[in-house]
Amino acid sequence: MSRDQFWFFHPFRVRYSEIDGQGVVFNAHYLTYFDTSITEYFRALGYDQYADSRKTGIDFHVVKSLIEYKAPVLFDWELDVGARVARIGNSSLTFELAIFQKGGHEALVTGEIVWVYTDQKSHRPVPIPQSIRDFIATRERHLA
């Protein structure tokens, strides 16, 4: 993945508490970077996922997370995490994510997160409404 595939980026700086004994970001922290970036992605779109789930009783569940480590990410590096929706299914969203060193063009880490829109009482998938599809399509033209 390259930087030009993303319209949205969220910045991070690697904290000392996030590195392991080898001096690189501990693997579990990449999912936190991805999750935070997805939250900020929706904020940038103007969609309040939290408020919507409280109102409707329907929310997204993570059903898949994939991380590919291409290069080490080190303490105190400034990062840009790119996030985009690559696909919308009947009840699922597939996010593609990539971590770049600030100003860099080659992805250090890439990821895929799949969410399923789920009724919180039955825990069964439900179709993603057109209103959410429209929010996403305002920036993800390939999904319009």
Side-chain angles (χ1 to χ4, degrees):
M1 275 182 234
S2 62
R3 180 179 278 277
D4 62 354
Q5 292 177 271
F6 298 92
W7 68 269
F8 177 80
F9 294 91
H10 187 67
F12 290 89
R13 179 176 229 130
V14 177
R15 299 173 297 176
Y16 184 78
S17 63
E18 296 167 338
I19 62 172
D20 61 18
Q22 299 161 342
V24 299
V25 172
F26 180 69
N27 60 70
H29 290 293
Y30 294 103
L31 288 173
T32 299
Y33 295 163
F34 289 165
D35 184 67
T36 302
S37 297
I38 290 170
T39 298
E40 295 304 324
Y41 170 94
F42 279 123
R43 188 183 319 274
L45 286 177
Y47 173 60
D48 187 340
Q49 176 202 347
Y50 184 76
D52 192 46
S53 70
R54 294 296 165 242
K55 182 174 78 176
T56 64
I58 303 171
D59 202 355
F60 289 97
H61 288 189
V62 173
V63 297
K64 178 182 178 183
S65 57
L66 173 71
I67 303 171
E68 292 187 55
Y69 307 97
K70 300 179 179 297
V73 176
L74 305 177
F75 169 67
D76 211 31
W77 279 12
E78 292 182 67
L79 307 174
D80 293 322
V81 178
R84 72 186 201 120
V85 174
R87 181 181 174 284
I88 303 177
N90 182 50
S91 62
S92 66
L93 292 178
T94 300
F95 296 92
E96 289 180 344
L97 302 115
I99 298 175
F100 303 90
Q101 196 163 6
K102 184 176 182 178
H105 296 284
E106 297 298 318
L108 304 167
V109 178
T110 60
E112 178 183 277
I113 305 289
V114 178
W115 283 2
V116 172
Y117 203 50
T118 307
D119 181 288
Q120 297 301 287
K121 289 182 183 169
S122 68
H123 297 284
R124 301 294 308 155
V126 296
I128 297 172
Q130 191 62 45
S131 59
I132 294 175
R133 294 170 184 277
D134 291 345
F135 269 117
I136 294 167
T138 63
R139 293 307 299 256
E140 305 292 359
R141 304 283 186 220
H142 63 284
L143 298 174

